[in-house]
Amino acid sequence: MLLYNSTDSVRGGVPLAVDFDSPEDYFIFIFQILFATSTVLVAGPVVISILATRALRLQNRFIFMLNTSICDTLVGLSVYYVGLFDVYEGYPSRNGTYNVLSSLLGVNIMTFLFAQFDRYFAVCHPFYYTRFMTLHVVICVNVYCWLQVYIQQIVINFVPLSRAIQVYVFGIVSLQIIVFTKVVMTIKLYVVARFQLDRDPPGSDKDSKKESLRIIIFVVISFLVLWCPSFVNIIIRFLGGGGLTFRNEATNLFAIMARFNAVCTPSVYIWGSPALREAMMRTVWGRVCPRCNRR
């Protein structure tokens, strides 16, 4: 997320991201198309499968999966614009979206953080968890993730620049706290999965807890690995005026890495959850390809 509150567009339409003067331009353009399509085809079915399967909708952890998968699907759709056209979301922006599309990353960050706390209390404090963490509470938490991110973005876009800088600095500091908390919670969840669950008696409840912990640990680690380079570059540019700059979003390597989470996250969901794979085969791919359903 970069600070700006204005956007400039080119008269006569938005030009493409590359000029097609070299083989690299063709590679970038084709890569963005393939990346956007694969993201929609991976994250979209996850959204449809959870919404169409009542047994999944009634579980808190799948509500968090649903929220992040909706964000990932929107990220994939956004690449058809920010990845194919000459868009720069910096300051001053060029053909930008007022950070509406790039803020989807912030929604995912907040959702992952709450999902980590959800899994921790579900495993370590099951009595209080079942009593207080109802489905309605989890849905409200996920709605809050959207409201918090986009209300802050509205403030940045429409207040005077001096006040927007203050809000932006507050967001950077908050983001650092969130990242640190995510790292600590990831280590804590790993310890819980490694030692505490091994002492529980065998059963479906133990398997479900291990599955959910494994998924959230893998998702958060991959998210931090792919997103941290972009975050560090933003911090360097904001504090010291250095860092790397790119011509547009299509050539921004750090932004591409951050958006790659939109493919990795639903892929981990599918890999780690047999129930989700079964629902996806029944509601999506089984209807698209009946032969796969019979197999």
Side-chain angles (χ1 to χ4, degrees), residues 30-42:
I30 295 174
F31 169 80
Q32 296 291 348
I33 294 177
L34 294 177
F35 172 70
T37 304
S38 60
T39 301
V40 173
L41 292 179
V42 173

Side-chain angles (χ1 to χ4, degrees), residues 79-97:
V79 174
Y80 286 114
Y81 177 67
V82 299
L84 300 182
F85 295 93
D86 185 29
V87 177
Y88 181 67
E89 295 277 27
Y91 182 82
S93 70
R94 184 174 66 254
N95 307 315
T97 63

Side-chain angles (χ1 to χ4, degrees), residues 71-229:
C71 289
D72 295 335
T73 304
L74 295 176
V75 168
L77 294 173
S78 72
V79 174
Y80 286 114
Y81 177 67
V82 299
L84 300 182
F85 295 93
D86 185 29
V87 177
Y88 181 67
E89 295 277 27
Y91 182 82
S93 70
R94 184 174 66 254
N95 307 315
T97 63
Y98 293 98
N99 270 340
V100 171
L101 299 181
S102 59
S103 294
L104 292 169
L105 178 64
V107 178
N108 267 346
I109 292 175
M110 297 291 295
T111 305
F112 287 143
L113 179 64
F114 285 115
Q116 286 181 292
F117 283 108
D118 174 83
R119 289 299 88 199
Y120 173 77
F121 286 106
V123 174
C124 298
H125 306 282
F127 175 76
Y128 294 102
Y129 180 82
T130 55
R131 183 177 179 182
F132 295 105
M133 288 300 294
T134 63
L135 185 63
H136 296 290
V137 172
V138 174
I139 293 175
C140 291
V141 168
N142 283 271
V143 172
Y144 167 78
C145 294
W146 289 85
L147 294 178
Q148 195 275 335
V149 171
Y150 280 101
I151 287 177
Q152 178 178 325
Q153 195 55 51
I154 290 174
V155 172
I156 291 177
N157 286 332
F158 293 102
V159 300
L161 184 59
S162 59
R163 186 55 60 91
I165 293 176
Q166 296 177 0
V167 177
Y168 181 71
V169 172
F170 172 78
I172 291 295
V173 175
S174 302
L175 203 54
Q176 292 176 333
I177 297 175
I178 291 174
V179 171
F180 177 77
T181 306
K182 288 168 71 67
V183 173
V184 173
M185 287 301 300
T186 301
I187 298 174
K188 180 65 176 178
L189 290 175
Y190 174 79
V191 173
V192 171
R194 181 67 179 84
F195 300 102
Q196 180 170 330
L197 283 181
D198 288 341
R199 298 194 298 265
D200 293 347
S204 58
D205 184 61
K206 176 181 178 180
D207 295 337
S208 176
K209 290 179 179 179
K210 291 186 68 174
E211 172 192 311
S212 62
L213 287 176
R214 184 173 62 248
I215 289 176
I216 192 62
I217 290 173
F218 273 97
V219 164
V220 172
I221 291 176
S222 64
F223 186 88
L224 291 175
V225 169
L226 292 172
W227 174 77
C228 274

